[in-house]
């Protein structure tokens, strides 16, 4: 196709036409460019001479297909790399976002594919530094964008690249380049801290996060699992991570920005809590690192800065939840201001529980922190010190239960509000921490649970004998609250004991007896007309969940029917 104007019109049609027939015609006419490698020189010509952004996008995406799907000669790959870098350097200020994104992906892809073959492909980092050294903001942004995309490209498998070769490339990149790129992100953050151009700040924070989120072990782990995401950075990272300004720069950015920048800063801090223990020179440097993280989080909670933004609130909860993933409780309690810090975390958790509509997806991380702390307590050598957990844990347990009751009342008042009981996975995630909190202080906690459950049981058994009760809204509230209590008791039974906690079968039986009393009453109930069946269904599902937990924890592989019989027998033998 000799006519560049005609090609630009076809590209405009391909990407913008609302007529499917026109788009199909354009696609069919242009497909030879992305299928035939002999068209690569023409694509480079289009890239250099086209003025229509969609023609440039077409040339860039077609070249990306060629370098990904075909074993192009090394010299041709270098030619494409150099061509794109020069194009970006000369036109940074005038490129549409979607065109720049496509070109950056192309140059990073071809650089990755050649990274292990020729050192010239590694010059993309120095090319990016050249962008950053320019006076224009557009060039600076381009340099950060290229580095962001390069780290992202290296951190995931590339179509058509054998996995073994991918790992070799990533290993070389991690050892030789990633530390330098992370250093560039920090230098940029310091240089841009007083800059009014938030986009540049966002790109620098994003680059930091990309580096800290890198899969150092090449295991393609699940990011949702903090337990496995320990940052296994090489020793070359030690000096930069031990430098106090590294942690502080993210807290500084959080203090002076709002989402999405402040959220990115908190995400970076959350990653830093996962740096492997052995990277630090000594226990002293590691303690200084932990102290700076705890002090920063303490300041955020004390001032409440930025916590009116949900994104910030959620990331702070994640950040706090990670303290016990990688740090031992002995390290946390040894920090000078631990007592005030844990008191603030307790208040923050209780307020989060009270604000259940706003924090339902965030409270998981706070409950995880508390459960890990109580399960770690037996391993502390100093048994005489008051770590204040026995003071706060019962309050948090009570706060959880009362917040669930509040959700019942609010859900009934607002028909549009989704009941937390219907969010099964979220409910189960939160309840899995409950047995650890309960068994830590079971003697005091059971008193609260019994005092919460007994009036509900009595009201339910007395009220359902009356027609006006079962046809009123009151029965819905009571059944839904009872459903929560049955779920909670079932969660407690799912974990009989853990290290440092002795199983108390009398307490288990005391709670189970109340559930069995409820079940027996439900089985013999004769009323027909009801205000609402949904609450009854929720209660029945809670009962099934209770027996499933009892079966797993107490009677092994028995059926649910057998588990019910065993539960009755166990309760009768203990109570």
């Amino acid at each position: 196709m000799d006519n560049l104007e005609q090609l630009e019109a076809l590209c405009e049609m391909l990407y913008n036409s609302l007529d499917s027939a026109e788009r199909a015609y354009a696609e069919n006419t242009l497909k030879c460019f992305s299928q035939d490698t002999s068209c690569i020189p023409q694509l480079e010509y289009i890239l250099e001479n086209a003025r229509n952004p969609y023609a440039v996008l077409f040339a860039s995406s077609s070249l990306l297909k060629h370098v990904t799907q075909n074993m192009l000669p090394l010299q041709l790959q270098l030619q494409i790399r150099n061509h794109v870098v020069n194009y970006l350097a000369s036109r940074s200020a005038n490129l549409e976002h979607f065109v720049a994104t496509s070109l950056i992906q192309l140059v990073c892809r071809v650089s990755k594919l050649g990274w292990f073959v020729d050192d010239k492909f590694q010059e993309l980092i120095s090319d990016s530094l050249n962008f950053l050294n320019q006076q224009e903001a557009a060039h600076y942004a381009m340099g950060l964008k290229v580095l962001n995309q390069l780290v992202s490209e290296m951190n995931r498998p590339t179509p058509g690249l054998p996995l073994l070769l991918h790992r070799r490339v990533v290993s070389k990149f991690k050892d030789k380049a990633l530390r330098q790129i992370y250093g560039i992100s920090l230098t940029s953050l310091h240089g841009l801290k007083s800059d009014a151009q938030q986009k540049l700040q966002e790109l620098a924070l994003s680059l930091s996060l990309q580096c800290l989120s890198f899969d150092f072990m090449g295991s393609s782990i699940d990011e949702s699992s903090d337990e496995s995401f320990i940052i296994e950075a090489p020793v070359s990272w030690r000096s930069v991570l031990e430098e106090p300004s590294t942690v502080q720069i993210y807290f500084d950015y959080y203090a002076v920005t709002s989402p999405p920048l402040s959220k990115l800063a908190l995400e970076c801090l959350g990653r830093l809590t996962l740096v492997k223990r052995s990277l630090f020179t000594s226990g002293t440097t590691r303690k200084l690192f932990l102290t700076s993280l705890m002090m920063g989080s303490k300041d955020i909670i004390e001032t409440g800065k930025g916590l009116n933004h949900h994104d910030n609130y959620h990331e702070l909860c994640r950040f706090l939840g990670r303290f016990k993933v990688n740090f031992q409780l002995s390290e946390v309690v040894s920090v000078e201001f631990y007592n005030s810090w844990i008191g603030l975390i307790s208040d923050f958790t209780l307020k989060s529980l009270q604000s259940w509509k706003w924090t339902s997806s965030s409270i998981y991380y706070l409950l995880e922190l508390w459960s890990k702390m109580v399960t770690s307590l037996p391993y502390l050598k100093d048994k005489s010190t008051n770590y204040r957990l026995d003071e706060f844990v019962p309050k948090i347990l009570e706060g959880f239960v009362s917040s669930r009751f509040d959700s019942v009342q609010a859900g009934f008042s607002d028909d549009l509000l989704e009941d937390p009981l219907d969010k099964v996975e979220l409910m189960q995630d939160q309840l899995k921490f409950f047995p650890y909190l309960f068994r830590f202080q079971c003697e005091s906690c059971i008193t609260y649970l019994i005092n919460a459950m007994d009036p509900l049981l009595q009201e339910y058994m007395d009220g359902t004998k009356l027609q006006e009760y079962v046809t009123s809204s009151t029965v819905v509230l009571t059944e839904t609250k009872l459903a929560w209590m049955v779920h909670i008791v079932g969660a407690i039974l799912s974990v009989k004991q853990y290290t440092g906690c002795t199983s108390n079968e009398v307490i288990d039986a005391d709670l189970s007896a109340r559930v069995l009393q409820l079940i027996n009453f439900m089985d013999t109930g004769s009323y027909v007309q009801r205000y609402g069946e949904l609450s009854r269904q929720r209660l029945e599902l809670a009962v099934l969940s209770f027996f499933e937990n009892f079966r797993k924890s107490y009677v092994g592989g028995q059926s649910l029917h057998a588990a019910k019989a065993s539960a009755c027998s166990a309760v009768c033998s203990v109570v």
Side-chain angles (χ1 to χ4, degrees), residues 246-263:
T246 297
V247 170
Q248 189 58 46
I249 190 65
Y250 299 118
F251 281 119
D252 290 346
Y253 266 83
Y254 177 81
V256 298
T257 61
S258 56
L261 276 69
S262 53
K263 175 180 178 290

Side-chain angles (χ1 to χ4, degrees), residues 361-378:
S361 60
S362 309
I363 196 65
Y364 167 92
Y365 301 103
L366 299 176
L367 296 176
E368 180 182 36
L369 171 64
W370 288 103
S371 68
K372 287 184 179 296
M373 292 186 78
V374 299
T375 54
S376 300
L377 197 58

Side-chain angles (χ1 to χ4, degrees), residues 13-251:
M13 186 186 299
L14 176 66
Y15 291 107
N16 275 345
S17 177
L18 299 177
D19 188 324
S20 59
E22 285 186 348
R23 291 198 307 273
Y25 170 74
E27 182 178 3
N28 187 60
T29 306
L30 295 170
K31 66 181 180 181
C32 60
F33 286 94
S34 59
Q35 294 177 348
D36 189 348
T37 56
S38 65
C39 292
I40 289 178
Q42 292 174 273
L43 290 170
E44 291 183 299
Y45 176 82
I46 295 169
L47 189 63
E48 184 64 34
N49 294 281
R51 293 295 176 263
N52 185 297
Y54 294 102
V56 179
L57 175 63
F58 171 75
S60 174
S61 59
S62 297
L63 286 169
L64 181 66
K65 289 181 181 178
H66 283 303
V67 300
T68 303
Q69 298 173 2
N70 303 301
M71 294 291 293
L72 300 181
L74 178 62
Q75 201 58 40
L76 180 56
Q77 293 183 56
L78 276 171
Q79 178 181 308
I80 293 172
R81 191 211 84 90
N82 294 337
H83 194 162
V84 175
V85 169
N86 291 333
Y87 189 93
L88 292 173
S90 62
R91 311 194 189 192
S92 290
N94 302 314
L95 284 179
E96 286 79 358
H97 175 72
F98 62 90
V99 175
T101 299
S102 178
L103 289 167
I104 291 170
Q105 184 183 13
L106 170 60
V107 75
C108 290
R109 176 69 55 82
V110 74
S111 295
K112 178 182 179 178
L113 294 173
W115 199 271
F116 204 79
V117 181
D118 193 312
D119 289 348
K120 291 181 180 178
F121 288 98
Q122 300 173 33
E123 293 176 1
L124 189 60
I125 298 176
S126 58
D127 292 330
S128 299
L129 284 171
N130 288 335
F131 284 121
L132 296 175
N133 289 329
Q134 302 296 316
Q135 294 297 318
E136 295 81 3
H139 282 92
Y140 201 100
M142 186 63 69
L144 292 175
K145 288 177 182 178
V146 169
L147 291 175
N148 264 286
Q149 180 60 34
L150 180 61
V151 177
S152 176
E153 187 74 41
M154 291 291 185
N155 202 29
R156 60 172 184 261
T158 298
L161 185 66
L163 185 58
L164 180 60
L165 183 55
H166 162 75
R167 288 177 175 171
R168 292 175 68 188
V169 170
V170 169
S171 179
K172 187 173 183 179
F173 174 78
K174 175 191 68 177
D175 293 339
K176 302 294 184 181
L178 188 58
R179 162 63 182 83
Q180 181 187 2
I181 295 174
Y182 182 58
I184 292 171
S185 77
L186 292 174
T187 301
S188 296
L189 287 173
H190 285 287
L192 293 168
K193 192 162 68 169
S194 59
D195 198 300
Q197 299 191 60
Q198 291 189 0
K199 186 59 182 176
L200 296 181
Q201 295 175 330
E202 183 178 353
L203 286 168
L205 283 167
S206 177
L207 182 57
S208 264
L209 184 59
Q210 289 274 11
C211 294
L212 293 172
S213 303
F214 199 80
D215 183 7
F216 289 92
M217 299 303 292
S219 55
S220 299
I221 56 178
D222 180 5
E223 281 192 34
S224 64
S225 175
D226 287 337
E227 293 284 2
S228 57
F229 201 101
I230 300 300
I231 296 179
E232 300 280 351
V235 176
S236 60
W237 285 60
R238 175 177 289 164
S239 59
V240 69
L241 292 177
E242 288 185 344
E243 169 59 46
S245 63
T246 297
V247 170
Q248 189 58 46
I249 190 65
Y250 299 118
F251 281 119

Side-chain angles (χ1 to χ4, degrees), residues 369-413:
L369 171 64
W370 288 103
S371 68
K372 287 184 179 296
M373 292 186 78
V374 299
T375 54
S376 300
L377 197 58
Y379 299 100
L380 290 181
K381 294 179 180 179
D382 184 1
K383 307 294 183 183
S384 61
T385 303
N386 179 13
Y387 301 109
R388 304 188 72 187
L389 297 183
D390 55 350
E391 174 187 348
F392 297 131
V393 168
K395 293 179 182 178
I396 290 166
L397 182 143
E398 293 173 16
F400 180 85
V401 175
S402 63
S403 70
R404 301 310 96 178
F405 284 2
D406 290 343
S407 73
V408 173
Q409 188 69 49
F412 186 77
S413 303

Side-chain angles (χ1 to χ4, degrees), residues 449-462 464-465 482 485-486 489 493 508-525 527 536 539 543 546-547 550 564 567-569 571-572 575:
L449 291 182
I450 287 176
N451 288 339
M453 193 170 187
D454 280 356
L456 291 173
L457 275 173
Q458 194 62 50
E459 176 193 329
Y460 190 60
M461 290 187 292
D462 291 343
T464 48
K465 298 173 185 177
L482 282 171
M485 293 306 301
V486 174
V489 173
L493 294 181
D508 289 356
D510 212 4
L511 290 172
S512 299
R514 285 164 168 79
V515 176
L516 294 173
Q517 183 183 10
L518 171 64
I519 294 167
N520 183 60
F521 178 76
M522 291 171 64
D523 288 344
T524 58
Y527 53 89
R536 174 77 175 197
L539 186 52
V543 167
F546 165 81
F547 280 124
F550 187 93
K564 180 177 180 180
C568 294
S569 176
V571 170
C572 291
V575 176

